[in-house]
Amino acid sequence: FDYEEFIVNMPQIDSMRLTVPLKDTTNTEGTFEQVSLKNEITETSGVLHINSGDNKSGRNPSTKYPFFNSDSDAVVYFDSPDVLNGAYDKSVKFIVPPFEVDSLERKDGESISFDGTFNSGGIFPTFDEVLHIQADKSLGFTHQIPADGYPLYGTEARTYEEIGLSSKGMRGYGQIDFLTTTIYSDDFIYYPDSVTTDGTGGVISPGDYKGASFPEAVLGAYDMYWLPLKDSMYLRTVGESFKFYNSTAELDGYANITTKGVYGGGTMLSRGSRSVSDEMNFTEVEYDARHAKFEILTDDPEKPAMEGDDIRLEFELTNNTARIRPERVGVAAISFPYAQMKTSITEAVWDLEDSIVTMTKPVNVDIEDSYFYTTREDLDSLAFNAEKAIYDINSQELDIQGIPFIIVADSKIIPEGNETTILANSVLQKFENAQIIIDTLNGYHYLDRASIRVLSRNKFEGNAYYQQVIGADTFDIRFDSFELSEVPIGEPDRKGNYQTKLMTVSGGDVPENQNLVISPGFLYKGAVTMYASKPALELDGNVKLMLEDPDYNQWVQFERVEGEKDVELPFDNAVNENGEKVYSGIHVDLRDELYSTFVEAKSNASDLDFFNASGNLTFDDSLKTYKIESPDKTSGLSYQGHTMIYMDSSKSVVFEGKANFINPTNSQIKLDASVLGVGNKETNEYSCDAMFAMDFPAPNGAFDIMAEDLIDIIERIGPPLANDISLELLFKLANLADDEIAKEYEQSSLRDYTALTSVSGDLESQLFISGVKMKWDIGQKAWHNTTKLAISHMYDNDINAKLEGFLEIKKDESGAEVVNLFIQAAPGIWYYVGYTFNQLILHSSNEEFNELIQSKSNAENSKPGELIIAAGDTNETLGFINRFREVYFGVKEPYNLVSPDDVQVEDENFDTIEEDDDDGFGF
């Protein structure tokens, strides 16, 4: 400080705050007050002249002093909190070259100014300007932009009109051009990295610009947030919507203008539609939206024709179409409120000219991901897949095509042509000529020509024709009702309660003239009931065999509740439709003639039964044969059972089981028999392989003598064995005795030789013939043997030998039972037993035997009704033999007991029983 000159040398001034007198406008006297400015002049040096040297006391007033001379550039920064809340850093500055400020005490602060250069920190180009004190007590300026504008932030964007600087920051007035967009505002606020404003309007010019497509738009009032260095100019509507595409679309929301195009979000109203999305993209000829809510509007503001939620929209303005797709495949994003339907179909195109929405499933999308379902409450979310649909906005009809099926309850309904039309309010048209597959899991039941109305997800009504497929043929059953019912399943628990399951139940009635084949080999008439999860129809009616005989019309009552598809009829108590018992067997009529029945009534109810089948009636379609047999025997669990097989084409029968060669109630002998037989229902010819257990009322000891005699000769000559473990023997043995005995004999014989008589005491009898071929002679009305007699045992004496002999079983003229038996073990060793009602004749080559019979004979002193036991003679014996040979074999040569010729003449026409994999025997 120079006291002589009153000078202060200031080599460096870091900050110089100016205070200026400003007039107090509230003071009517016009006084002034000193105010400190918000800006500081920094980074300069100079000399401050306080007063002149001759006026040290300051007694002489001077307007020149004090004054300041700088000798270097000064800088005014705008980084204080007072300037736009501290928005700028020191890159925003005003550089003042060396200057002089005089008359610092002047009352007119506004006259203070500084020429210099303004650096906006890259927002504008650097320009010269004069720094003035602004109304807000800050240093600033108002700058007029040249006519060609200034670039902004180093980009292609330009601004026009003027820029101002004050404590409110850098502000712009006029317009900004960015890409194809021009916006207007009275107050653009420039920040180091952004621009904001509440603008008055603007336009977007359409076309391509540097590879990006821009739409046409007229912008109303907006607020803006522009990040030039991040390529994003956000414009948000304020009150008035942005008008796009020659005012055919209005956006209430925001637009984001970038070098890549125009994006946006909000609500877009365009050509009768509303789109709401935060991910819109606008180009010259279309706009897109992602994750959008889309509506086709109607006169009812609360009820659009179509709406989509979370969809992808492509609105093509040149061809006036909109493409709508769900964002997520498989989600029902599109709905039709008037039709009350929703769909997940993956592509829909709205043709604005025709007011049609066409929906299609792309080839690469699974049909499971393309479905429709109703939102109508009483239809209970009825849903189905489809490949295509067309919605007519004017008629409010939804035509759905490519429907594989519609699941209702546990049924699949296949509309005719795989299409249907949904009317307003989700009214489903009635299906005509539809198909129905009932039981969606297994597809057990198929119906066609259905006239069906779907009422809900679990209910439909109408009628259809059930397709009963039998082989290559299909038969119709009309069903008139379909109910979803709770049906018992499985076995009851300890309390008798069943588990239940909901399933479709339907039924109908089959008339006789329909000739319905309910399963191979069987016609049916009567009621049918279908349960969805059961493979076979439940039947409550009558079945009839499909026989060639045109006169056959025997309907048998049949009820099937559970089981396989094919008929399996329990036959033991089978009755016809009138409640009369039906038979399958071989019978003896009043003329002592044999005839066969197969599922029919006997000629006369009193006819005796030679054989009766027992078990379940079935049909083998591959062999074209009917069979009655017990399930255990069919499955191979048992040898026992009365089997009868009938082949209609040849009228042949096979029978197996017990047989009644004589009437046990009208005979004094016991003759139990088991047979394997064949015959012909038309010719009444029958043959069989028989097993006999015979007991005659002979004197005690007579058959012991016979056994001893036979054993002696058998040991000496060794004839063929009678017994083996063939299936034929086991079947006969099981039916004559029981299954356990047959199996025990089988197992024991496989280990070692086993005498049949040793297996069980139940097998003991006077004479047990384990096998002999018997044939029915129609003319003689008699059974006779055609092979040797396989004699197994006598009482507990093991014989096990095949011996020559003759066996005849018939009735005499009075109808009395007649049994004639001749056994010849070797030449000159033979036995004859002749029985007719009330008389038994016995004779032999064994004198001991004859003497015993003679001693026990009561021929001369029998009482009325008492069995006569008489000793026969050789003539009676030969008389039987010679008649037998001539009648049955045509041999007239007298028989020689001592030197016999071939006793047996094998019947070449006899159909022997052969082993069969399924039944154990066949034709």
Side-chain angles (χ1 to χ4, degrees), residues 42 45 182 274 319 351 363 392 444 547 658 682 892 907:
T42 64
S45 63
T182 298
R274 180 190 290 119
N319 58 13
D351 187 324
V363 176
D392 189 321
Y444 285 140
L547 305 182
K658 280 192 173 182
E682 191 170 56
K892 296 182 179 181
D907 184 359

Side-chain angles (χ1 to χ4, degrees), residues 90-111:
K90 291 186 181 299
S91 66
V92 179
K93 57 190 176 182
F94 194 94
I95 300 173
V96 182
F99 62 92
E100 178 182 303
V101 179
D102 63 353
S103 305
L104 292 176
E105 292 184 353
R106 74 183 77 177
K107 291 180 171 42
D108 185 11
E110 293 180 0
S111 65

Side-chain angles (χ1 to χ4, degrees), residues 4 24 51 111-112 313 372 538 764 909:
E4 293 296 325
D24 185 358
N51 214 324
S111 65
I112 299 175
L313 174 67
F372 291 77
E538 291 198 0
E764 290 189 12
N909 295 320

Side-chain angles (χ1 to χ4, degrees), residues 624-876:
K624 304 301 180 187
T625 58
Y626 293 92
K627 179 168 68 174
I628 300 173
E629 187 173 71
S630 69
D632 283 351
K633 187 172 182 181
T634 300
S635 64
L637 296 176
S638 174
Y639 291 120
Q640 191 174 22
H642 286 199
T643 300
M644 190 170 191
I645 300 173
Y646 178 61
M647 181 179 288
D648 187 50
S649 61
S650 62
K651 304 298 184 291
S652 301
V653 295
V654 172
F655 50 97
E656 176 182 330
K658 280 192 173 182
N660 299 311
F661 282 84
I662 63 174
N663 184 354
T665 62
N666 192 30
S667 177
Q668 293 146 309
I669 66 172
K670 181 180 179 182
L671 191 67
D672 293 334
S674 173
V675 299
L676 304 176
V678 295
N680 188 280
K681 192 173 184 294
E682 191 170 56
T683 64
N684 284 328
E685 296 176 339
Y686 303 96
S687 301
C688 64
D689 178 4
M691 174 180 284
F692 292 105
M694 300 180 174
D695 286 286
F696 298 94
N700 292 336
F703 277 79
D704 292 322
I705 296 172
M706 183 191 300
E708 183 179 351
D709 196 11
L710 294 180
I711 292 171
D712 178 65
I713 192 63
I714 288 168
E715 290 177 350
R716 286 189 283 123
I717 65 175
L721 298 179
N723 300 329
D724 53 26
I725 54 170
S726 65
L727 285 175
E728 289 84 357
L729 179 66
L730 295 174
F731 283 128
K732 291 183 291 183
L733 183 59
N735 282 314
L736 189 68
D738 61 45
D739 197 58
E740 292 303 319
I741 290 176
K743 291 178 178 179
E744 182 179 348
Y745 175 71
E746 178 185 28
Q747 294 302 316
S748 179
S749 296
L750 289 173
R751 294 190 296 268
D752 199 358
Y753 173 77
T754 301
L756 188 58
T757 186
S758 68
V759 175
S760 171
D762 294 341
L763 297 177
E764 290 189 12
S765 62
Q766 280 183 344
L767 180 62
F768 195 98
I769 300 176
S770 57
V772 59
K773 300 292 178 66
M774 302 291 290
K775 186 174 182 178
W776 175 254
D777 187 286
I778 297 175
Q780 298 297 314
K781 302 178 183 178
W783 286 98
H784 67 91
N785 68 311
T786 61
T787 63
K788 293 180 179 181
L789 306 173
I791 299 177
S792 173
H793 55 272
M794 299 176 67
Y795 297 123
D796 60 354
N797 300 300
D798 185 34
I799 306 296
N800 195 16
K802 289 183 178 180
L803 304 179
E804 302 287 354
F806 304 104
L807 175 60
E808 179 186 47
I809 305 173
K810 63 176 185 177
K811 291 183 179 180
D812 62 16
E813 295 178 354
S814 66
E817 307 291 347
V818 175
V819 177
N820 288 306
L821 172 64
F822 173 78
I823 300 173
Q824 184 152 23
I829 301 176
W830 48 267
Y831 289 86
Y832 167 69
V833 179
Y835 168 79
T836 187
F837 181 72
N838 230 28
Q839 180 173 290
L840 178 65
I841 299 174
L842 301 107
H843 188 58
S844 172
S845 60
N846 188 314
E847 288 303 322
E848 182 182 3
F849 178 87
N850 293 334
E851 290 175 0
L852 176 61
I853 299 303
Q854 184 64 47
S855 66
K856 300 295 183 178
S857 175
N858 63 347
E860 295 183 358
N861 55 5
S862 63
K863 298 177 181 178
E866 183 181 5
L867 175 67
I868 299 172
I869 299 175
D873 57 29
T874 300
N875 290 332
E876 285 179 308

